[in-house]
Amino acid sequence: MVGACHAQPQSPRASDFPAAHRPVASIVSARWSDEDTRDTAGEATEVMNRAGVKAGMTVADIGAGEGYYTIRLAARVGGKGRVLAQDIVPKVRDALAERVTRERLDTVSVKLGQPDDPQLPEASFDRVFLVHMYHEIASPYAFLWHLRPAVNARGRVIVVDADRPTNQHGTPPKLLDCEFAAVGYARVDMQVMPSAGGYLAAYEPRGVRPEAKAIKACPTG
């Protein structure tokens, strides 16, 4: 007797997700500000402290750019931790890979992602950082949907952004909450962070990941 064939579920197409009802900021630079200025303000240290980053953790730096957070996350998680740095611009990814090699950061891997899919391994990350880049995500619902499986059972997604319209390189917290909630995340922390140019928000996946076509886009008003 021949066993029945079971069709594998297909991944949703980009067109299955709703479009964002908001402007999308252009990617103008791989650098938000120079590293000395950010360190003088204590930005990375404060963000990592508030996000609860500890030695031995596995973390992802999405939209890593020149690697400001990548380098500092590697130092924080130490030799038993791991950092995955990702960017969607090939030349930026390549420059960061060269920096990682030059600085001999053996616990850091660098990869190229897609605008609507960070392409991270499942159940792998204690923290996923989206720093000063969420407003540049053109398809936020698809991006967050694909990101969900990568966060482990105790993991969180950490967003650092400014409280201003998306076309002014920020994301209003109310809109951020709505877009994350639409894909099945719950906000578990929100802190004002002047040293990082705005605020820090933390989210955890909750419940069942919704079907792509069931996701409703958030209003901008």
Side-chain angles (χ1 to χ4, degrees), residues 133-197:
M133 56 76 69
Y134 185 81
H135 48 267
E136 297 172 353
I137 299 173
S139 302
Y141 304 105
F143 178 91
L144 293 174
W145 191 91
H146 288 295
L147 174 63
R148 263 194 60 151
V151 184
N152 67 29
R154 299 172 301 280
R156 292 182 172 186
V157 180
I158 306 296
V159 179
V160 176
D161 215 337
D163 184 2
R164 54 177 178 254
T166 53
N167 60 355
Q168 296 178 29
H169 292 271
T171 309
K174 183 178 179 180
L175 176 61
L176 186 71
D177 281 350
C178 183
E179 291 186 350
F180 268 80
V183 192
Y185 295 80
R187 176 162 59 80
V188 293
D189 195 12
M190 173 68 76
Q191 303 181 42
V192 176
M193 284 201 64
S195 66

Side-chain angles (χ1 to χ4, degrees), residues 59-71 73-74 82-88 92-94 96-97 100 105 107-113 118-120 125 129:
V59 300
D61 182 13
I62 308 301
E66 294 183 340
Y68 174 75
Y69 272 88
T70 299
I71 305 306
L73 285 167
R82 293 291 182 271
V83 178
L84 187 150
Q86 182 252 62
D87 208 279
I88 64 171
V92 172
R93 185 275 315 267
D94 292 347
L96 179 54
V100 166
L105 301 175
T107 60
V108 177
S109 58
V110 182
K111 71 172 294 181
L112 189 68
Q119 299 185 334
L120 303 181
F125 296 96
F129 285 85

